[in-house]
Structures are given as C-alpha cells and as structure tokens.
C-alpha cells in the first residue's frame, strides 16, 4: 500500500449520484496533506470532477481508493460530502460513510450514515436516510434501495414538511405520514405510500393501504383534488370531488362534479389557457334540477395582444335564471355583463370599441327592456403642448343601443377642445378651457312629459368656456408643513341643453360630492349635460409630517345661475346655491386612518349624506375598520332611498400562528342586522386551519336567510380538506 499526498498523478474513475469519482495515485513519500484535483472521465471528456480530501490511500493490489477527512466530490452540479469514501475498481462499487450528504442540482439534499452504490449509481443501498426536498419537506427512513437509476424505495419511512421542536426533538411534528414503504419515482415525480397512516400531533387519524401524491418539485399534475362536503338550505347536503387535468404546458381543466340531495348533480368546470398573445379562462356549470329543468351559468374572460399598440378581449357572463348563481354559491352579482372589445394606445391618443349585453338579476329586471349596446366606439386624442403650453383635444363617440321593448338610441358625438394652463408669478395656477360638442341622435319610442313618444332625429350643439384657478400657500414648520389652497371654477354653456327628445341612457346615476365639485360637467355620460352659468369655490387645507403622517380637509359649494330641472330634486344642485360638500382625512401614523365625507344642507347645515371610513389600531393588538354611510330621504340618489348602515371588521393577530376576525353589517334605519360572522385562522410552515361562522339576513326573490359554517384544513404539500355547512 502506498500513502500519497500533494497532487494525485493518476485517478481511477467511479460514479456517485451520476458523478464519476476518479481516483488513482502514484507512490509519493509525503505526509497527510489537503489535496484538490480536476480530472476528466474516459467516458465523457467534457465531464469534469472536482475532488478534495485530507488524505487519500491507493491499494494497487486490491484496486481500491480510499479518501478520508472532509471528502468532497463535485461533478455536473452534484456534490458528495462524507468523512470517508472508498471505491473498489474490481467490483465497481463505491461506499461512503460518516456524515454523508449528497446535494442534487435542484437543491434536494440526501443525508445518510452509510451509502453503497454501483459505479453507474443505478443501484445501491442507503442506511439511515434523510432527504430534504423542496419547500423544506423531509422524508426519513431506516434504509433505502435504489433501482434502475429511477426508483428509490424507503423502508419505515416518515414524510413531513413540519419543523421539529428545537427544545424537545422527540416531540412528534404537527402532522406526518408514516408508511411501511415509500417509493419515490424520479421520472414520474410521484411519491407512493404503502400501509400509510396520517398522524396529527402524534395521534393516528387516517389510514390508507395505498396513497400517492406528486413530490414537492411538481407544480401541476393531473389527478384528484381534495373533496369537500356540506349542506345548505338551498340545495341540501352536497359532496364535491374535483379532478384536475393538466392538458399540456399551456392549458388545464378542473372538473368539479357536485352531488346535491335536493337539486340533483351539478357539473362545474374551470378551463384555463395561455397563448403567446394572451390568456383565457372559462368558468361554467350545468345541472338538471328537481323540476327536470336544465340550469347553468358561464363566466368567461379573455385578453389578447394584437400588437404593441392594440389588444382585444371579451367577458361572457350569463345565467339560466336570476337566483341560480346565489343558490349554488357561484357568487351573488346584481347584473351580468358580457363585453367584446378592442382598444389601442398610441402616444397620447386612445381608441376603444365595445359591444355589451346585460342580464339583470334583480326581481324587477326584464330581458325585453334591457338594452344591447353594439357598438360603442370612443376616441380621445391630445396634441403635444404648443407655445405657452396650450394643447388641443378631440373626442369622438358613437353608440347604438337597442331593446326588444322600449327606447332605441343611436348617437354620434364629437367634441373639440383647447386648453391653456398658466402659472403666475405668485404661484397661482390658472387654466382656460374652450370646447364645442355636437351630439346627434336617431331615436325611437322616447318617452316625453305630457307628450306622445318621439321617433326621429334629435341633436344639440354645446359650446363651453371654463376657467379653473387655485393658489397654494405653503408654510414650512421644520418637522411639518402647512398647505392652504383656495380653489375656484367658473363655466358657461347655453341654457336648454337637455331636450326631451334625447333619452338619458348613460347619465342616470348622479351624486354631488367633493370629487365632482369643480367638474365642468358633473354628469358622467353624454346623454345629459350641465347647462347655463355655474361656478364653484372651495378651500383645501393640509398639514403633512416628515414621517408620512398628515391631516387634510376640503370644503366647497357651487352656484348655478339657472334654477331648472337639469338636476333632480334632492340632488343638492336643484337650487341656485348648492349644498355644502367636503371631506376630512386624519392619518397621523399607520395606526389611525380616518376619512369623513359629507354633504350638508345649504340652509340649516343638516346632514343629507354622511360617509365615514376609519381604520384604528394594528393587527398585533386589535385592528378595527369601520364604514358608516347615511343617505337622507331627500338626498337625491337614484340607487337608494333613505339609508343608514354601518359595517365593522375587527382583526387580531394573537401570536405567530393564531389570528381572529369578526365582522358585521347593520341597518341602522330599520334596526336590523344584515350579516355578521367570526373567523379563526391558524397557520404555520406546514398547516392551515381556517374556520368561519357567518349568518346573513338578506332575502333575494326565492332565497331567504342563511347560516353558514365553513372550515379549511390545509396540509401543505398534500392538499386541503374543506367543508361548508348552511344550517
């Protein structure tokens, strides 16, 4: 036997985890020394081996090479570490012992006390195996056998992603799977168990003679998903067993067969596909209910790029009946909107063409009177600033709206504008705006007050002149600064801009508030226009700290020269002088965030509209969010009559793992609760428990009040177990 040190002149070749371990040596009379060398295997000159050890022995007679002390072998991204490594060239067998670890290129690490492998690493045995997989998942066993370079079979195995208690390592993890045998298929990326039992806190809770799941490196794979079950007063008891189908790399499908005791089976599905130019998702369901009627719904969305400037897309939403989606827990929308569109962005111009189809789900909605919009084309363009900063704009709008019964409207609108902003020597900001708009309609069956319905052409020409002004005053106080800014607006357009022959389709919902106080035209659409002379004034004040905290307020009022029916009674704009509108925001730090918006009567300052949104505290102690809204009976809103409602949401993080929430919605006008609920969540590195109790008092046509109990048990890396119960 010869003991070598320094540079190894001749290395013999072997393999571990696909790495060739080449060791050979010539006789050198030197003592123990650290040595490193790089060699090429005969089989593949491109495969390099990096080898280092404190000591290497080469036995010519037995044809064995033994490396001791901090042995490290690296090849093709794989690294073997051990106290001792020995290679028998005659038997083509490699053994490693003492703190053995093998790191794969994907980050997977295998630990063992002893490893014996064939030279090509396709077969071998491992003692006291411990494998660290993706997401800190671990598999341990008394021993393992590797076959055909693909299958690794582990005896008396334990699988768990949960951390072991550092203070008491003997304490079982929160959950684990114990099995007599575990087979890991590297090619199929699956983990199979034989005689498996799931333990929770060391207590067996589930047994299966066979169990399989993808290994943690798999992000998507076809197979059964976690089932769920429960009951509701609408469909009775139900059971759902989803199946996930990974069709290919760009598309997949989730089938969700649901069996209900009262309404029969339901088949729901979710289809997703990505394209080079975009993506698409289709959610749908179908059932034959207890009345032997086919019911279903679809909710599809797609977005696709045409080129760098243009894209197109669609939304398709339809249901067979108004309460179908609420009944089967597919959502509770009030209207379903189907939309086909294309839009383009180029410089400062924007173009969009839409088609709309609506399905109202309220009891009073009628398909025959619901409009179809096809098309609605819009264009907005703006020039670059010219001399003195002026610029021009052009807006075009074309719309065709039809119904089975009721008013039809076909509109063509064009607006040309010019604006000149100016900043004065005192810091005052003034903007002069001039525009002219032409609206042209072909209408039929337009309802008019005290007149017969109108069919034919209607049009108007709307010139507009407006001036906007503000002047900020800033006072720096070191750690904070004040800003006081008076604001004003004046606009004029001819009276009589809303003839009865023009139907109002897109400006029905109106709300006067601090946001549109300074708008030249407070209507959001084109069918109605604000006319005559009007002016608004207001004052903004704020104090801002260096650490991001601030308090701000705004107060204002509007004046209209004409007192007519342009705005509805109770809107706040029906008189010459409008109601007062404003807001107050207080946010000194991350623990307090308060916003109050209001509209006050212009004569007695009584509240006609109040909105409060507040967030107080932190999750570590108690975070409380509160929303309050109040509409007076004469507030002039088309959507609600008198309404006073409060909603609160409280959240507390008790410790690193436990948190709780509670919420409620209360109708203060009727002194009735609308809904309330509580929830608890536990989450650590390997497990989630989410439990919620909810009660609702809403009534929707043939659906009444409901109580629900929901919970989720998520075993990370395996799946989740969920239940929903309506009492």
């Amino acid at each position: 036997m010869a003991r070598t040190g320094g540079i190894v002149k001749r290395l013999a070749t072997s393999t571990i985890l696909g790495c060739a371990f080449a060791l050979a040596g010539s006789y050198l009379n030197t003592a123990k020394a650290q040595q490193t060398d790089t060699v090429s295997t005969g089989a593949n000159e491109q495969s390099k081996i990096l080898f280092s050890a404190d000591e290497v022995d080469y036995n010519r007679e037995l044809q064995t090479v033994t490396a001791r002390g901090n042995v490290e072998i690296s090849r093709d991204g794989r690294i073997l570490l051990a106290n001792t490594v020995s290679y028998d060239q005659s038997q083509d067998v490699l053994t490693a012992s003492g703190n053995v670890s093998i790191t794969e290129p994907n980050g997977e690490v295998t630990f063992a006390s002893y490893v014996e492998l064939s030279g090509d690493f396709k077969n071998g045995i491992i003692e006291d195996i411990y494998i660290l997989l993706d997401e800190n998942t671990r598999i341990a066993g008394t021993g393992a056998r590797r076959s055909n370079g693909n299958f690794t079979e582990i005896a008396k195995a334990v699988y768990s992603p949960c951390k072991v208690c550092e203070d008491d390592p003997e304490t079982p993890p929160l959950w684990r799977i114990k099995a007599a045998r575990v087979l890991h298929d590297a090619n199929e990326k699956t983990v199979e168990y034989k005689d498996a039992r799931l333990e929770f806190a060391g207590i067996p809770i589930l047994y299966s003679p066979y169990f399989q799941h993808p290994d943690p490196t798999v992000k998507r794979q076809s197979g059964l998903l976690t089932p769920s079950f429960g009951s509701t007063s609408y469909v009775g008891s139900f059971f759902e067993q989803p199946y996930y189908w990974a069709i290919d790399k760009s598309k997949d499908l989730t089938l969700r067969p649901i069996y209900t005791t009262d309404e029969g089976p339901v088949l729901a599905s979710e289809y997703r596909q990505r394209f080079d130019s975009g993506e698409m998702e289709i959610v749908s369901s179908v059932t034959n209910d207890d009345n032997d009627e086919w019911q279903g719904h679809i909710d599809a969305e797609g977005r696709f790029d045409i080129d760098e400037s243009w894209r197109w897309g669609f939304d398709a939403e339809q249901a067979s009946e108004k309460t179908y989606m609420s009944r089967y827990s597919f959502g509770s929308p009030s209207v379903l909107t189907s939309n086909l569109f294309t839009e383009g962005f180029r410089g400062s111009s924007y173009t969009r063409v839409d088609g709309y189809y609506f399905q109202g789900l309220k009891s009073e909605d009628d398909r025959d009177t619901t409009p179809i919009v096809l098309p609605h084309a819009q264009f907005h363009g703006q020039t670059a600033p010219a001399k003195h900063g002026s610029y021009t704009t052009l807006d075009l709008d074309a719309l065709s709206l039809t119904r089975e019964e009721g008013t039809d409207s076909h509109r063509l609108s064009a607006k040309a504008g010019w604006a000149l902003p100016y900043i004065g020597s005192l810091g005052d900001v003034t903007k002069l705006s001039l525009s002219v708009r032409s609206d042209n309609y072909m209408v039929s069956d337009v309802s008019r007050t005290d007149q017969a319905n109108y069919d034919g052409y209607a049009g108007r020409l709307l010139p507009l002149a407006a001036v906007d002004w503000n002047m900020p005053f800033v006072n720096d106080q070191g750690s904070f600064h004040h800003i006081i800014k008076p604001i004003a607006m004046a606009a004029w357009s001819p009276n009589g801009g809303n003839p009865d022959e023009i139907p109002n389709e897109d400006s029905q919902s109106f709300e006067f508030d601090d946001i549109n106080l300074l708008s030249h035209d407070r209507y959001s659409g084109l069918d109605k226009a604000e006319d005559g002379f009007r002016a608004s004034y207001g004052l903004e004040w704020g104090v801002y700290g260096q650490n991001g905290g601030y308090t701000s307020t705004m107060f204002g009022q509007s004046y209209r020269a004409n007192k007519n029916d342009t705005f509805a009674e109770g809107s706040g704009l029906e008189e010459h002088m409008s109601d007062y509108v404003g807001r107050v925001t207080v946010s000194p730090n991350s623990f307090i965030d308060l916003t109050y918006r209001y509209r006050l009567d212009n004569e007695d300052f009584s509240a006609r509209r109040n909105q409060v949104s507040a967030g107080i505290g932190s999750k570590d102690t108690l975070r409380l969010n509160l929303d309050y809204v109040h509409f007076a009976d004469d507030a002039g809103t088309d959507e609600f009559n008198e309404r006073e409602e409060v909603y609160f949401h409280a959240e507390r993080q008790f410790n690193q793992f436990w948190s709780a929430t509670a919420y409620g919605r209360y109708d203060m006008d009727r002194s009735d609760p609308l809904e309330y609920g509580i929830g608890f969540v536990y989450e650590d590195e390997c497990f989630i428990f989410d439990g919620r109790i909810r009660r609702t008092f809403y009534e929707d046509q043939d659906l009444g009040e409901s109580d629900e109990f929901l919970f989720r048990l998520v075993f990370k890396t395996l799946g989740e177990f969920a239940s929903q119960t309506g009492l």
Side-chain angles (χ1 to χ4, degrees):
M1 177 182 293
R3 176 159 294 179
T4 65
I7 299 177
V8 179
K9 294 184 177 179
R10 187 160 56 91
L11 297 176
T13 302
S14 65
T15 304
I16 183 167
L17 285 176
C19 299
F21 172 33
L23 293 176
S26 61
Y27 183 80
L28 294 175
N29 293 318
T30 57
K32 297 179 182 179
Q34 176 71 28
Q35 50 189 309
T36 302
D37 203 358
T38 302
V39 298
S40 299
T41 68
N44 183 0
E45 291 298 327
Q46 301 300 320
S47 182
K48 302 294 184 180
I49 301 171
L50 180 63
F51 162 72
S52 67
D54 292 340
E55 176 184 327
V56 176
D57 291 338
Y58 177 58
N59 191 313
R60 297 174 184 269
E61 297 177 359
L62 299 179
Q63 293 186 330
T64 60
V65 180
T66 303
R68 299 183 181 87
N70 299 313
V71 181
E72 179 176 347
I73 303 172
S74 176
R75 180 187 176 186
D76 297 335
R78 294 181 176 89
I79 300 174
L80 166 68
L81 302 177
N83 292 343
T84 303
V85 175
S86 178
Y87 176 64
D88 187 336
Q89 289 180 291
S90 62
Q91 301 294 324
D92 192 24
V93 174
L94 181 143
T95 60
S97 60
N99 298 317
V100 181
S101 70
I102 304 168
T103 304
E104 295 286 346
N106 61 5
E108 179 181 310
V109 183
T110 300
F111 301 93
S113 61
Y114 176 81
V115 173
E116 182 178 310
L117 300 169
S118 61
D120 58 7
F121 192 56
K122 290 186 177 181
N123 300 281
I125 59 173
I126 304 174
E127 295 181 1
D128 298 325
I129 187 172
Y130 179 93
I131 304 176
L132 182 61
L133 302 174
D134 193 24
E135 299 182 2
N136 291 320
T137 302
R138 293 166 287 275
I139 302 178
T142 58
R145 181 181 301 276
R146 184 167 176 82
S147 304
N148 299 322
N150 179 41
F151 300 99
T152 302
E153 185 176 6
I154 305 173
K156 296 181 180 179
V158 178
Y159 173 95
S160 178
C162 303
K163 294 181 179 178
V164 178
C165 180
E166 296 181 358
D167 297 333
D168 187 4
E170 299 300 323
T171 301
L174 184 61
W175 70 266
R176 62 187 177 186
I177 297 177
K178 284 187 172 182
R181 297 283 178 181
V182 172
L183 181 64
H184 181 209
D185 189 330
N187 289 342
E188 297 296 328
K189 299 185 182 300
T190 59
V191 181
E192 298 180 5
Y193 301 83
K194 294 182 180 179
D195 291 332
R197 64 180 184 272
L198 174 64
E199 294 185 356
F200 194 87
I203 302 174
I205 60 173
L206 188 65
Y207 169 81
S208 175
Y210 178 82
F211 177 65
Q212 174 185 302
H213 65 83
D215 70 27
T217 63
V218 176
K219 303 307 178 184
R220 55 195 298 268
Q221 187 179 77
S222 299
L224 294 174
L225 301 179
T226 306
S228 63
F229 69 93
S231 66
T232 72
S233 57
Y234 305 144
V235 300
S237 299
F238 69 86
F239 175 81
E240 177 181 341
Q241 176 56 72
Y243 178 83
Y244 177 76
W245 180 19
I247 302 173
D248 56 34
K249 292 182 179 180
S250 64
K251 51 184 174 287
D252 56 45
L253 173 68
T254 302
L255 294 173
R256 298 172 50 202
I258 308 169
Y259 177 76
T260 68
T261 57
D262 293 349
E263 297 291 340
V266 181
L267 179 60
S269 65
E270 300 172 11
Y271 176 80
R272 294 161 292 268
Q273 184 170 359
R274 290 184 178 272
F275 304 85
D276 292 338
S277 60
E279 59 185 4
M280 175 178 64
E281 181 175 359
I282 302 174
V283 178
S284 63
S285 68
V286 64
T287 184
N288 188 268
D289 62 18
D290 60 345
N291 295 322
D292 197 26
E293 295 180 355
W294 287 100
Q295 306 286 353
H297 91 289
I298 185 171
D299 182 0
E301 178 183 359
R303 299 291 184 269
F304 305 93
D305 294 329
I306 299 174
D307 54 31
E308 293 182 353
S309 301
W310 286 87
R311 72 167 184 167
W312 73 277
F314 68 87
D315 296 282
E317 300 178 355
Q318 283 290 292
S320 57
E321 64 175 22
K322 294 180 178 180
T323 59
Y324 172 83
M325 296 181 67
S326 297
R327 183 184 306 277
Y328 290 96
S329 301
F330 293 122
S332 301
S334 60
V335 62
L336 299 178
T337 303
S338 297
N339 171 224
L340 178 65
F341 73 90
T342 182
E343 60 182 351
F345 307 82
R346 181 166 296 176
S348 57
S349 66
Y350 173 70
T351 306
R352 182 179 176 110
V353 181
D354 288 274
Y356 290 99
Y357 180 80
F358 305 97
Q359 181 185 3
L361 301 184
K362 296 180 180 179
S363 58
E364 64 271 17
D365 290 329
D366 186 349
R367 282 183 180 266
D368 291 338
T369 59
T370 300
I372 298 175
V373 178
L374 183 66
H376 182 201
Q378 305 169 78
F379 171 81
H380 172 78
Q382 179 176 312
T383 64
K387 188 176 182 180
H388 306 300
S390 66
Y391 59 89
T392 59
T393 60
L394 177 64
D395 293 274
L396 303 175
D397 189 285
L399 177 141
S400 178
L401 182 150
T402 59
R403 293 179 172 89
E404 291 289 332
E405 298 179 4
T407 302
D408 293 343
S409 177
H410 308 278
R411 181 185 71 206
L412 179 62
S413 177
K415 177 182 177 181
W418 176 85
L420 175 63
Y422 173 77
I423 300 178
S425 59
L426 298 178
D428 54 307
V429 180
T430 305
K431 180 180 178 182
L432 173 64
S433 301
L434 301 174
S435 67
V436 59
R437 189 177 98 197
S438 173
D439 297 329
N440 302 273
Y441 291 81
M442 288 298 298
V443 298
S444 63
D445 203 16
V446 178
S447 177
R448 297 184 295 177
T449 304
D450 299 327
Q451 297 184 64
N453 289 356
Y454 179 76
D455 298 334
Y457 171 82
R460 62 189 170 194
L461 190 66
L462 294 172
L464 172 69
V467 177
D468 297 275
W469 175 88
N470 70 80
M471 188 170 183
F473 296 89
V474 180
N475 183 11
D476 195 345
Q477 298 292 327
S479 60
F480 62 91
H481 60 272
H482 292 274
I483 297 179
I484 299 177
K485 184 169 70 173
I487 52 179
M489 181 278 297
W492 173 89
S493 56
N495 295 326
N498 296 288
D500 289 343
E501 292 78 14
I502 296 179
N504 180 14
E505 299 286 355
D506 62 5
S507 302
Q508 297 182 9
S509 179
F510 172 78
E511 178 184 336
F512 177 50
D513 55 22
D514 57 289
I515 297 176
N516 58 25
L517 171 67
L518 300 176
S519 298
H520 300 164
D521 189 339
R522 296 180 177 91
Y523 283 108
S524 59
L526 298 178
D527 289 339
K528 292 209 71 173
E530 190 170 0
D531 56 4
F533 176 79
R534 59 269 190 193
S536 299
Y537 70 91
L539 182 68
E540 293 182 351
W541 170 84
V543 55
Y544 302 87
Q546 293 181 341
N547 297 324
Y550 71 97
T551 297
S552 66
T553 184
M554 181 268 187
F555 178 85
Q557 189 183 31
S558 183
Y559 166 80
R560 298 184 69 250
N562 294 327
K563 184 179 178 181
N564 54 28
D565 60 354
T566 299
F567 295 98
E569 190 73 22
S571 64
L573 290 168
E574 67 272 17
E575 303 289 341
H576 289 298
M577 298 302 298
S578 74
D579 289 345
Y580 300 103
V581 294
R583 68 175 180 272
V584 178
T585 301
V586 179
S587 182
N589 50 51
S590 60
F591 304 108
I592 299 176
D593 189 358
L594 171 67
T595 299
Y596 170 50
R597 300 177 63 196
Y598 57 87
R599 177 155 68 91
L600 307 178
D601 187 272
N602 63 350
E603 294 182 354
D604 58 9
F605 289 92
S606 61
R608 304 182 77 177
R609 181 184 181 95
N610 285 319
Q611 284 183 276
V612 178
S613 178
I616 303 173
S618 69
K619 289 179 60 177
D620 295 335
T621 54
L622 178 65
R623 179 69 179 182
L624 178 64
N625 294 300
L626 179 71
D627 291 293
Y628 168 82
V629 61
H630 172 245
F631 300 98
D633 191 33
D634 58 349
T637 173
D638 295 331
E639 188 174 0
F640 303 107
N641 295 320
E642 184 174 1
R643 177 186 177 192
E644 188 173 11
E645 184 178 300
V646 63
Y647 171 82
F648 77 90
H649 181 274
E651 187 173 7
R652 170 71 190 276
Q653 186 77 39
F654 294 104
N655 54 40
Q656 181 182 358
F657 306 114
W658 281 99
S659 64
T661 60
Y663 69 93
R665 191 184 303 274
Y666 189 79
D667 187 337
M668 301 180 68
D669 184 48
R670 299 181 179 180
S671 299
D672 289 328
L674 298 176
E675 65 173 319
Y676 56 78
I678 59 173
F680 294 91
V681 177
Y682 172 89
E683 181 174 4
D684 60 20
E685 75 283 352
C686 66
F687 181 74
I688 299 176
F689 167 78
D690 186 354
R692 302 174 187 270
I693 299 174
R694 177 174 180 251
R695 181 166 192 177
T696 62
F697 299 87
Y698 306 109
E699 293 188 4
D700 182 11
Q701 300 168 73
D702 58 339
L703 302 180
E705 301 176 0
S706 68
D707 294 327
E708 295 179 354
F709 172 70
L710 307 93
F711 74 87
R712 290 192 309 144
L713 300 178
V714 181
F715 296 87
K716 294 183 179 180
T717 74
L718 290 184
E720 69 178 70
F721 177 80
S723 175
Q724 173 178 319
T725 305
L727 304 177

